[in-house]
Amino acid sequence: MRRKGLASMAVQTSTDTPLRLGPAVGLSCRECGERFDLGPIFACASCFGPLEAAYELPEGDPEALRKAIEAGPANIWRYAPLLPVPADVAERPNLNPGFTKLVKADNLARELGVTGGLYVKDDSGNPTHSFKDRVVAIAVEAARAFGFTTLSCSSTGNLAGAVGAAAARAGLRSCVFIPHDLEQGKVVMAAVYGGELVGIEGTYDDVNRFCSELIGDPLGEGWGFVNVNLRPYYAEGSKTLAYEICEQLGWRLPDQIVIPIASGSQLTKIDKGLQELIRLGLVEDRPYKIFGAQALGCSPVAAAFKAGHDVVRPVKPDTIAKSLAIGNPADGPYVLDIARRTGGAVEDVTDEEVVDAIKLLARTEGIFAETAGGVTVGVTRKLIENGVLDPSLTTVVLNTGDGLKTLDAVAPTTGPSATIRPSLDAFRAAGLAG
């Protein structure tokens, strides 16, 4: 039944106009390697493995490619020659995300005992204040290529806002689906762009299952679900984090990188991006380690890593880090492979440690991270304390969203230092005079 739905979706959106998705030449199954034409499909018809974009990347002088990238726009479209997008993508209506700050976090490094250089890749500077703007920007171009008129998604919050904003900018209708109990800030941000926002009673995994059913139904005709039938293109947006980090480090690989895990796609695509840069000769080929970070209340990948398992057992999420609350992460097994291949690890932290890490990052570097950023900082600290992450090496930690979206996580323990009468005597009595 599922395969029939996928096939009919491809037929419904067929066009006589040649697809223009840059260097992308097809889709490849990550399990069996079978190749497929570019289209709105996400699963292999032979083994039902996940599909991803396959490329003919530019060959030739790495220095010339490096200079061309550096001369490009200050957003992800500087990397258009490496992405499944048309060559004129920078001229089309979109939100132009990316090229966010790589902050040298010396104050945080001192707190954690890092001597080799610590950086925070702060993606809260994107248009809707999360890394999701990157992946949605790529998905929008695929949606246009396939003739979709409605942009949709299942979301834990950030993606809903990114889809709503990107669709509004592109002139597309949007209809997004979220768990009914998301943080209010994310609900408002997703709704403000004027598209349809639908709460589903249940967890994110329930929402995702519903969207998969909708794709195979006539009701879903003409709909591009960015993280389902457009997933092979959407996921490629995360590669731009790898590209930017290396370029901002002076075209060199980080020694260690700590990445939050929701579905696991971001981590796997960052690794893919690093491998592409090596293959193209844009960075020196040398070892690097990738670490995954989860909240204890939704840590199926960390549990599998610690147990030495290759299979990730689904869990029911129970954590304040709702943007990471995916109990059945699609890319979990691939995360395990990458962590083991690179000599990294997958670790988790409690909700209390997440809140403490949010405050630590804010206090030391002036970066207010959402709960996912608290997870990565908290895991980084735990990995150092446990002797797993080497503090003498260059380390990059990802903050994927803005703390203003998850105020509820820190509000109970954060507020005024004192409330006083409007007088100097009251100020002195409060012990705040310095």
Side-chain angles (χ1 to χ4, degrees):
M1 179 63 71
R2 179 63 54 79
R3 290 178 185 174
K4 181 179 178 182
L6 294 173
S8 65
M9 178 61 71
V11 172
Q12 291 163 3
T13 58
S14 64
T15 175
D16 294 331
T17 304
L19 293 176
R20 298 169 55 246
L21 292 176
V25 294
L27 299 175
S28 176
C29 177
R30 289 164 72 179
E31 289 294 323
C32 71
E34 185 170 349
R35 294 289 288 266
F36 299 85
D37 291 338
L38 293 171
I41 55 175
F42 64 97
C44 176
S46 297
C47 73
F48 208 56
L51 301 180
E52 64 178 358
Y55 298 94
E56 289 181 358
L57 292 176
E59 297 180 359
D61 182 3
E63 186 59 31
L65 178 56
R66 200 179 288 123
K67 288 181 178 178
I69 290 172
E70 292 172 348
N75 53 55
I76 62 172
W77 306 133
R78 68 201 286 115
Y79 308 110
L82 311 180
L83 297 170
V85 295
D88 64 348
V89 63
E91 302 166 18
R92 299 153 78 93
N94 57 67
L95 295 179
N96 299 324
F99 220 64
T100 54
K101 294 179 180 178
L102 183 68
V103 179
K104 194 167 189 300
D106 291 339
N107 296 329
L108 179 61
R110 282 191 291 272
E111 289 270 353
L112 299 182
V114 175
T115 58
L118 180 64
Y119 297 83
V120 175
K121 181 58 172 171
D122 185 13
D123 243 24
S124 66
N126 277 309
T128 68
H129 307 287
S130 89
F131 93 95
K132 292 295 187 180
D133 290 318
R134 297 175 181 271
V135 289
V136 171
I138 308 295
V140 166
E141 296 308 316
R144 284 170 167 155
F146 303 139
F148 288 126
T149 55
T150 296
L151 206 64
S152 186
C153 70
S154 52
S155 174
T156 57
N158 284 326
L159 181 57
V163 167
R169 175 67 177 142
L172 298 172
R173 174 178 179 259
S174 69
C175 182
V176 301
F177 301 89
I178 59 173
H180 69 286
D181 59 350
L182 280 188
E183 302 98 332
Q184 186 63 17
K186 290 180 179 176
V187 172
V188 172
M189 188 168 190
V192 75
Y193 300 108
E196 303 295 337
L197 179 67
V198 181
I200 300 290
E201 296 177 359
T203 67
Y204 170 81
D205 298 289
D206 297 318
V207 179
N208 205 35
R209 280 192 293 272
F210 168 78
C211 289
S212 296
E213 293 174 6
L214 184 55
I215 288 175
D217 190 276
L219 287 171
E221 183 174 350
W223 287 41
F225 288 79
V226 301
N227 53 346
V228 189
N229 60 345
L230 295 177
R231 189 176 184 84
Y233 314 94
Y234 156 93
E236 295 294 288
S238 289
K239 295 193 309 181
T240 61
L241 280 160
Y243 300 157
E244 288 177 20
I245 288 169
C246 290
E247 182 180 353
Q248 290 168 324
L249 286 174
W251 292 107
R252 63 185 178 90
L253 295 167
D255 297 314
Q256 305 171 133
I257 183 167
V258 186
I259 305 168
I261 297 172
S263 71
S265 176
Q266 182 185 67
L267 187 149
T268 63
K269 294 307 180 184
I270 287 176
D271 178 64
K272 183 180 181 182
L274 297 176
Q275 290 295 312
E276 288 176 351
L277 293 179
I278 292 170
R279 190 162 65 251
L280 290 166
L282 295 175
V283 298
E284 178 186 355
D285 185 3
R286 59 184 182 80
Y288 61 85
K289 294 182 179 182
I290 290 184
F291 298 88
Q294 292 198 294
L296 183 60
C298 186
S299 57
V301 186
F305 181 86
K306 294 175 184 179
H309 295 161
D310 295 325
V311 176
V312 176
R313 295 185 60 184
V315 300
K316 185 174 181 179
D318 182 18
T319 174
I320 61 171
K322 294 184 183 296
S323 62
L324 304 182
I326 297 180
N328 188 17
D331 279 29
Y334 303 106
V335 169
L336 294 173
D337 291 343
I338 291 168
R340 289 166 179 157
R341 188 196 80 225
T342 65
V346 185
E347 186 55 90
D348 51 33
V349 285
T350 66
D351 282 356
E352 291 76 14
E353 289 172 310
V354 171
V355 172
D356 188 55
I358 291 172
K359 292 182 177 181
L360 173 63
L361 181 60
R363 173 171 58 81
T364 56
E365 300 297 341
I367 297 172
F368 184 17
E370 72 162 15
T371 47
V375 170
T376 54
V377 173
V379 163
T380 300
R381 177 164 56 184
K382 187 172 182 179
L383 290 171
I384 292 171
E385 291 173 348
N386 292 345
V388 178
L389 191 146
D390 188 341
S392 70
L393 299 178
T394 300
T395 304
V396 176
V397 178
L398 265 62
N399 172 44
T400 53
D402 195 319
L404 292 174
K405 294 186 175 189
T406 55
L407 290 172
D408 290 351
V410 295
T413 57
T414 306
S417 300
T419 300
I420 64 171
R421 299 186 308 278
S423 72
L424 293 176
D425 287 343
F427 183 61
R428 291 190 186 94
L432 304 173

Coordinates of all heavy atoms in Angstrom, one line a residue, residues 313-355:
R313 N 16.0 1.1 19.7 CA 14.6 0.8 20.1 C 13.8 2.0 20.4 O 14.3 2.9 21.2 CB 14.7 -0.1 21.4 CG 15.3 -1.4 21.2 CD 15.3 -2.2 22.5 NE 13.9 -2.4 22.9 CZ 13.5 -3.1 24.1 NH1 14.5 -3.5 24.9 NH2 12.2 -3.2 24.4
P314 N 12.6 2.2 19.8 CA 11.8 3.4 20.0 C 11.5 3.6 21.5 O 11.3 2.6 22.3 CB 10.6 3.1 19.2 CG 11.0 2.1 18.2 CD 12.0 1.2 18.9
V315 N 11.3 4.8 21.9 CA 10.9 5.2 23.2 C 9.7 6.2 23.2 O 9.5 6.8 22.1 CB 12.0 5.8 24.1 CG1 13.2 4.8 24.2 CG2 12.5 7.1 23.5
K316 N 9.0 6.4 24.3 CA 8.1 7.5 24.4 C 8.7 8.7 25.0 O 9.2 8.6 26.1 CB 6.9 7.0 25.2 CG 5.8 8.1 25.2 CD 4.5 7.6 26.0 CE 3.4 8.6 25.9 NZ 2.2 8.2 26.6
P317 N 8.8 9.8 24.3 CA 9.6 11.0 24.8 C 9.0 11.6 26.1 O 7.7 11.6 26.2 CB 9.5 12.0 23.6 CG 9.2 11.2 22.4 CD 8.3 10.0 22.9
D318 N 9.8 12.0 26.9 CA 9.4 12.7 28.2 C 10.6 13.6 28.6 O 11.4 13.3 29.4 CB 9.1 11.7 29.3 CG 8.7 12.4 30.6 OD1 8.3 13.6 30.5 OD2 8.7 11.8 31.6
T319 N 10.7 14.8 27.9 CA 11.8 15.7 28.2 C 11.3 17.1 27.8 O 10.4 17.3 27.0 CB 13.0 15.3 27.3 OG1 14.0 16.4 27.4 CG2 12.6 15.2 25.8
I320 N 12.0 18.1 28.4 CA 11.7 19.5 28.1 C 12.3 19.9 26.8 O 11.9 20.9 26.2 CB 12.3 20.4 29.2 CG1 13.8 20.3 29.3 CG2 11.6 20.2 30.5 CD1 14.5 21.3 30.2
A321 N 13.2 19.1 26.2 CA 13.8 19.3 24.9 C 12.9 18.8 23.8 O 13.2 17.8 23.2 CB 15.2 18.7 24.9
K322 N 11.8 19.5 23.6 CA 10.8 19.0 22.7 C 11.2 19.0 21.3 O 10.7 18.2 20.5 CB 9.5 19.8 22.9 CG 8.8 19.7 24.3 CD 7.5 20.4 24.4 CE 6.9 20.3 25.7 NZ 6.5 18.9 26.1
S323 N 12.1 19.9 20.9 CA 12.6 19.9 19.5 C 13.4 18.6 19.2 O 13.6 18.3 18.0 CB 13.4 21.1 19.2 OG 14.6 21.2 20.0
L324 N 13.8 17.9 20.2 CA 14.6 16.6 20.0 C 13.7 15.4 20.4 O 14.3 14.3 20.4 CB 15.9 16.6 20.9 CG 16.8 17.8 20.7 CD1 18.1 17.6 21.5 CD2 17.2 17.9 19.2
A325 N 12.5 15.6 20.7 CA 11.6 14.6 21.2 C 11.0 13.7 20.1 O 9.8 13.6 19.9 CB 10.5 15.1 22.1
I326 N 11.9 13.0 19.4 CA 11.5 12.0 18.4 C 11.9 10.6 19.0 O 13.1 10.3 19.0 CB 12.2 12.3 17.1 CG1 11.7 13.6 16.5 CG2 11.9 11.2 16.1 CD1 12.3 14.0 15.2
G327 N 10.9 9.9 19.3 CA 11.2 8.6 20.0 C 11.6 7.5 19.1 O 12.2 6.5 19.6
N328 N 11.4 7.6 17.8 CA 11.8 6.6 16.8 C 12.6 7.3 15.7 O 12.1 7.5 14.6 CB 10.5 5.9 16.2 CG 10.9 4.7 15.4 OD1 12.0 4.2 15.4 ND2 10.0 4.3 14.6
P329 N 13.8 7.7 16.0 CA 14.6 8.5 15.0 C 15.0 7.7 13.8 O 15.7 6.7 13.9 CB 15.8 8.9 15.8 CG 16.0 7.8 16.9 CD 14.6 7.4 17.2
A330 N 14.6 8.2 12.6 CA 14.8 7.5 11.4 C 16.2 7.2 11.1 O 16.6 6.1 10.5 CB 14.1 8.2 10.2
D331 N 17.1 8.2 11.4 CA 18.5 8.0 11.1 C 19.3 7.5 12.2 O 20.6 7.5 12.2 CB 19.1 9.4 10.6 CG 18.8 9.6 9.1 OD1 17.7 9.2 8.7 OD2 19.5 10.4 8.5
G332 N 18.7 7.0 13.3 CA 19.4 6.5 14.4 C 20.5 5.5 14.1 O 21.6 5.7 14.6
P333 N 20.2 4.5 13.3 CA 21.3 3.5 13.0 C 22.5 4.1 12.3 O 23.6 3.7 12.5 CB 20.6 2.5 12.2 CG 19.1 2.6 12.5 CD 18.9 4.0 12.8
Y334 N 22.2 5.1 11.5 CA 23.3 5.7 10.7 C 24.2 6.6 11.7 O 25.4 6.8 11.5 CB 22.8 6.5 9.6 CG 21.9 5.7 8.6 CD1 20.6 5.8 8.6 CD2 22.5 4.8 7.8 CE1 19.8 5.1 7.7 CE2 21.8 4.0 6.9 CZ 20.4 4.1 6.9 OH 19.7 3.4 6.0
V335 N 23.5 7.2 12.7 CA 24.2 8.0 13.7 C 25.2 7.1 14.4 O 26.3 7.4 14.6 CB 23.2 8.7 14.6 CG1 24.0 9.2 15.9 CG2 22.4 9.8 14.0
L336 N 24.7 5.9 14.8 CA 25.6 4.9 15.5 C 26.8 4.6 14.6 O 27.9 4.6 15.1 CB 24.8 3.7 15.8 CG 23.7 3.8 16.8 CD1 22.9 2.5 16.9 CD2 24.2 4.2 18.2
D337 N 26.6 4.4 13.3 CA 27.7 4.0 12.4 C 28.7 5.2 12.4 O 29.9 4.9 12.5 CB 27.2 3.8 11.0 CG 26.3 2.5 10.9 OD1 26.4 1.7 11.8 OD2 25.6 2.4 9.9
I338 N 28.2 6.4 12.3 CA 29.2 7.5 12.2 C 29.9 7.8 13.5 O 31.1 8.0 13.4 CB 28.4 8.8 11.7 CG1 27.9 8.6 10.3 CG2 29.2 10.1 11.9 CD1 26.9 9.7 9.9
A339 N 29.2 7.7 14.6 CA 29.9 7.9 15.9 C 31.0 6.9 16.1 O 32.1 7.2 16.5 CB 28.9 7.8 17.0
R340 N 30.7 5.6 15.7 CA 31.7 4.6 15.9 C 32.8 4.7 14.9 O 34.0 4.5 15.2 CB 31.0 3.2 15.8 CG 30.1 2.9 17.0 CD 29.2 1.8 16.8 NE 28.4 1.5 18.0 CZ 27.2 0.9 18.1 NH1 26.7 0.5 17.0 NH2 26.6 0.8 19.2
R341 N 32.5 5.0 13.6 CA 33.5 5.1 12.6 C 34.5 6.2 12.9 O 35.7 6.1 12.6 CB 32.8 5.4 11.2 CG 33.7 5.3 10.0 CD 33.1 6.0 8.8 NE 33.2 7.4 8.8 CZ 32.3 8.3 8.5 NH1 31.1 7.8 8.2 NH2 32.5 9.6 8.6
T342 N 34.0 7.3 13.4 CA 34.9 8.5 13.6 C 35.6 8.5 15.0 O 36.4 9.3 15.3 CB 34.1 9.8 13.5 OG1 33.1 9.9 14.5 CG2 33.4 9.9 12.1
G343 N 35.2 7.5 15.9 CA 35.7 7.5 17.2 C 35.0 8.4 18.2 O 35.6 8.7 19.2
G344 N 33.8 8.8 17.8 CA 33.0 9.7 18.7 C 32.2 8.9 19.6 O 32.5 7.7 20.0
A345 N 31.0 9.4 20.1 CA 30.1 8.8 21.0 C 28.8 9.4 20.9 O 28.6 10.5 20.3 CB 30.7 8.9 22.4
V346 N 27.8 8.8 21.6 CA 26.5 9.4 21.7 C 26.2 9.4 23.2 O 26.2 8.3 23.9 CB 25.4 8.6 20.9 CG1 24.0 9.4 21.0 CG2 25.8 8.5 19.5
E347 N 25.8 10.6 23.8 CA 25.6 10.7 25.2 C 24.3 11.5 25.5 O 23.8 12.1 24.6 CB 26.8 11.5 25.8 CG 26.9 11.6 27.3 CD 26.8 10.2 28.0 OE1 27.8 9.6 28.3 OE2 25.6 9.8 28.3
D348 N 23.8 11.4 26.7 CA 22.6 12.1 27.1 C 22.8 12.8 28.4 O 23.7 12.5 29.2 CB 21.4 11.1 27.1 CG 21.7 9.9 28.0 OD1 22.5 10.0 29.0 OD2 21.2 8.8 27.7
V349 N 21.9 13.7 28.6 CA 21.9 14.5 29.9 C 20.5 14.7 30.4 O 19.5 14.6 29.6 CB 22.5 15.9 29.7 CG1 24.0 15.8 29.6 CG2 22.0 16.6 28.5
T350 N 20.3 14.9 31.7 CA 19.0 15.1 32.3 C 18.4 16.4 31.9 O 19.2 17.3 31.5 CB 19.1 14.9 33.8 OG1 19.9 16.0 34.3 CG2 19.7 13.6 34.2
D351 N 17.1 16.6 32.2 CA 16.5 17.9 32.0 C 17.2 19.0 32.8 O 17.3 20.1 32.4 CB 15.0 17.9 32.2 CG 14.2 17.2 31.1 OD1 14.9 16.9 30.0 OD2 13.0 17.0 31.2
E352 N 17.5 18.6 34.1 CA 18.2 19.6 35.0 C 19.5 20.0 34.4 O 19.9 21.2 34.5 CB 18.3 18.9 36.3 CG 17.1 18.7 37.1 CD 16.3 17.5 36.6 OE1 16.8 16.7 35.9 OE2 15.1 17.4 37.0
E353 N 20.2 19.1 33.8 CA 21.5 19.4 33.2 C 21.3 20.3 32.0 O 22.2 21.1 31.7 CB 22.3 18.1 32.9 CG 22.8 17.4 34.1 CD 23.4 16.0 33.7 OE1 22.7 15.2 33.0 OE2 24.5 15.7 34.2
V354 N 20.2 20.1 31.3 CA 19.9 20.9 30.1 C 19.7 22.3 30.5 O 20.3 23.3 29.9 CB 18.7 20.4 29.4 CG1 18.2 21.3 28.3 CG2 19.0 19.0 28.7
V355 N 18.9 22.6 31.5 CA 18.7 23.9 32.0 C 19.9 24.6 32.5 O 20.2 25.7 32.2 CB 17.6 23.9 33.1 CG1 17.5 25.3 33.8 CG2 16.3 23.4 32.6

